[in-house]
Amino acid sequence: MAIKEDVEEGMQKGVREPLVVRASKGHPWMVYFTTFVAVCGSYEFGACAGYSSPTQDAIRKDFSLSLAEYSLFGSILTFGAMVGAITSGPIADFIGRKGAMRVSSAFCVAGWLVIYFAEGPVYLDIGRLSTGYGMGVFSYVVPVFVAEIAPKELRGTLTTLNQFMITAAVSVSFTIGNVFSWRVLAIIGLIPTAVLLLGLFFIPESPRWLAKRGREKDFVAALQILRGNDADISEEAEEIQDYITTLERLPKSRLLELFHRRYLRSVTIGIGLMVCQQFGGINGICFYTSSIFELAGFSPTIGTITYACLQIVITGLGAALIDKAGRKPLLLLSGSGLVAGCTFVAVAFYLKVHEVGVEAVPALAVTGILVYIGSFSIGMGAIPWVVMSEIFPVNIKGLAGSVATLVNWFGAWLCSYTFNFFMSWSSYGTFILYAAINALAILFIIVAVPETKGKSLEQLQADINS
């Protein structure tokens, strides 16, 4: 069989990586340390995403860039991320989750250094494209890796840390970008990758990836390290091995296989949640928050700072609640809040356009934006990534995860690209449209999305794909 042939080929070549350096005894806290190392990739993601906003004026001044030239510098990140998304799954399947994080880090390091030494717009764009590629790979491999190492009772909380670190890094970039020069900010962007690359020497590879590759001794050792020396891993190890054995009997995954009846439900859920996340307006609102506040007659500085602080706090709250309340209730709460937030903003702009109750416009707009971002942060921001990392069987995870991540990045680009056109057409109509899309997202969640709390990945995937 194709999968078994791949394993045998890898074994014949002797391709083996030390699981840890001088850490074979393991500790109960190893899963937390491993998660911390992995989510340094999430922080790097946020540092890349948050770089262009605070540096815009300085870079344009230093290189005499037009608005169009700087817009290319800002947006080319997304194209790099799309390429990263396409290749992330195959890379993570071939060289492992840790290997994929090393590849991603290398592209980010190269990109930051090119930006730092840039003497013209071409080098800036090349550097930005490289960091975008790294972002695209990180956006897939970090939540997948964390979900694969985490015990089922902590999986939601630990995987949600991916989104928490992204939002924290974006907020930090916004803040320190007003203090440091754009070249220094590029060097600061190297710090998360340095921590990640160092930490990878001290953490185990994903046990499920090792099991899939037929490295049974390494698989058991990695699982024991993550659970602690005194933990009984026999039941969990047997469940993982049995599931891997079942999957080995299936054909090697190809793109058309994703739409086979066996996998159609998990693929629909994974891609559907990415559509719900991105097409509800988040990137347009996020990228143009200052403009929205200014248009509504509210201080952009105060509004943006409040926005960033609220996003961090509510994302942290969501991480604390996800394994208690469950994924589906938080998604439904989040979707309802997104509809409410969009409605508030739509009413505000409607009043402004028709010059009725104009004094209420700033309060309504600010309330709407803060309700929107708070609602997004409690559920729709993190949980689609959590669910995506949980529902795909390991034999299609690389390919299906790449497709879902690509859809996410395409939606991010499309939303940010069309936002200004929509606002030119109708400011209140734009938010009515987003409210309608978020209402459809609620319907999709009710009908299609299962609760994944408290189940092992193998049990969950078997239930969904049976």
Side-chain angles (χ1 to χ4, degrees):
M1 287 177 287
I3 292 176
K4 190 162 283 186
E5 287 170 1
D6 286 349
V7 172
E8 289 171 355
E9 182 183 352
M11 295 291 283
Q12 288 167 2
K13 289 180 180 177
V15 180
R16 281 180 176 270
E17 175 186 27
L19 292 172
V20 290
V21 176
R22 311 293 295 175
S24 58
K25 292 187 177 180
H27 297 278
W29 47 261
M30 182 57 81
V31 71
Y32 296 104
F33 176 69
T34 302
T35 300
F36 166 75
V37 171
V39 297
C40 286
S42 308
Y43 192 94
E44 177 66 16
F45 177 139
C48 295
Y51 180 78
S52 60
S53 181
T55 59
Q56 177 171 344
D57 291 340
I59 290 178
R60 286 189 64 191
K61 181 180 178 182
D62 286 356
F63 294 114
S64 302
L65 300 183
S66 66
L67 183 59
E69 287 175 318
Y70 192 82
S71 295
L72 175 62
F73 171 72
S75 62
I76 202 170
L77 183 82
T78 309
F79 287 97
M82 287 185 196
V83 179
I86 293 168
T87 59
S88 59
I91 289 172
D93 280 352
F94 184 67
I95 62 174
R97 308 336 187 194
K98 287 171 62 177
M101 285 189 273
R102 288 192 176 102
V103 169
S104 184
S105 297
F107 273 89
C108 287
V109 168
W112 285 126
L113 291 176
V114 171
I115 290 172
Y116 177 78
F117 290 108
E119 294 297 336
V122 173
Y123 293 105
L124 283 175
D125 292 342
I126 292 171
R128 189 73 167 157
L129 187 67
S130 181
T131 57
Y133 181 86
M135 270 180 65
V137 177
F138 275 137
S139 66
Y140 166 76
V141 74
V142 172
V144 165
F145 177 72
V146 173
E148 289 181 345
I149 65 164
K152 60 186 178 183
E153 64 274 8
L154 292 174
R155 193 174 63 238
T157 298
L158 295 180
T159 310
T160 305
L161 290 177
N162 171 60
Q163 184 69 20
F164 178 81
M165 293 294 275
I166 292 171
T167 57
V170 171
S171 299
V172 169
S173 295
F174 282 170
T175 304
I176 66 175
N178 294 316
V179 178
F180 297 105
S181 72
W182 61 270
R183 292 189 192 271
V184 172
L185 198 60
I187 292 298
I188 292 173
L190 295 171
I191 296 174
T193 55
V195 176
L196 174 62
L197 289 170
L198 179 63
L200 287 174
F201 287 105
F202 300 95
I203 65 173
E205 179 56 273
S206 161
R208 287 173 170 86
W209 181 80
L210 292 167
K212 181 192 173 189
R213 301 298 289 179
R215 294 164 57 173
E216 187 172 349
K217 289 183 180 179
D218 290 346
F219 152 64
V220 173
L223 191 60
Q224 192 73 68
I225 289 167
L226 289 165
R227 301 295 179 258
N229 254 3
D230 298 330
D232 180 5
I233 64 167
S234 56
E235 185 177 341
E236 185 178 5
E238 184 179 358
E239 183 180 17
I240 294 170
Q241 284 283 34
D242 288 348
Y243 193 61
I244 294 293
T245 302
T246 301
L247 293 175
E248 279 188 345
R249 300 191 188 106
L250 301 174
K252 194 169 183 179
S253 62
R254 293 180 177 85
L255 186 61
L256 290 179
E257 283 288 321
L258 299 184
F259 302 98
H260 189 275
R261 184 177 175 183
R262 177 181 181 87
Y263 305 123
L264 189 58
R265 189 181 176 206
S266 61
V267 171
T268 301
I269 294 166
I271 293 177
L273 283 175
M274 294 305 180
V275 171
C276 293
Q277 184 193 71
Q278 290 299 336
F279 286 79
I282 182 58
N283 270 289
I285 293 170
C286 178
F287 289 172
Y288 300 103
T289 302
S290 296
S291 302
I292 296 169
F293 284 134
E294 191 172 354
L295 189 61
F298 189 80
S299 168
T301 303
I302 296 173
T304 304
I305 293 172
T306 307
Y307 174 104
C309 293
L310 181 67
Q311 190 174 25
I312 294 174
V313 172
I314 301 296
T315 302
L317 179 63
L321 290 176
I322 189 171
D323 281 318
K324 297 183 177 70
R327 283 64 156 160
K328 192 165 184 173
L330 288 181
L331 280 172
L332 291 172
L333 175 65
S334 178
S336 301
L338 292 173
V339 173
C342 288
T343 303
F344 280 131
V345 180
V347 170
F349 284 128
Y350 181 86
L351 294 177
K352 181 177 181 181
V353 168
H354 292 86
E355 298 181 349
V356 178
V358 177
E359 64 279 356
V361 168
L364 275 172
V366 171
T367 301
I369 292 296
L370 295 183
V371 167
Y372 183 96
I373 194 57
S375 301
F376 184 84
S377 300
I378 198 75
M380 199 63 79
I383 295 178
W385 294 107
V386 175
V387 174
M388 183 273 290
S389 68
E390 294 175 324
I391 60 174
F392 294 138
V394 70
N395 65 313
I396 67 161
K397 183 171 282 187
L399 188 57
S402 290
V403 173
T405 307
L406 176 62
V407 169
N408 184 279
W409 280 109
F410 175 75
W413 170 78
L414 187 64
C415 182
S416 59
Y417 180 76
T418 58
F419 183 79
N420 279 333
F421 294 107
F422 281 138
M423 289 293 283
S424 299
W425 160 66
S426 171
S427 55
Y428 62 86
T430 299
F431 285 90
I432 291 173
L433 176 63
Y434 288 153
I437 293 172
N438 285 308
L440 291 174
I442 295 173
L443 183 62
F444 174 79
I445 292 162
I446 292 171
V447 172
V449 179
E451 180 53 68
T452 63
K453 179 186 74 168
K455 297 179 180 179
S456 71
L457 293 181
E458 290 67 35
Q459 178 187 358
L460 175 62
Q461 291 159 10
D463 289 346
I464 292 175
N465 297 295
S466 60

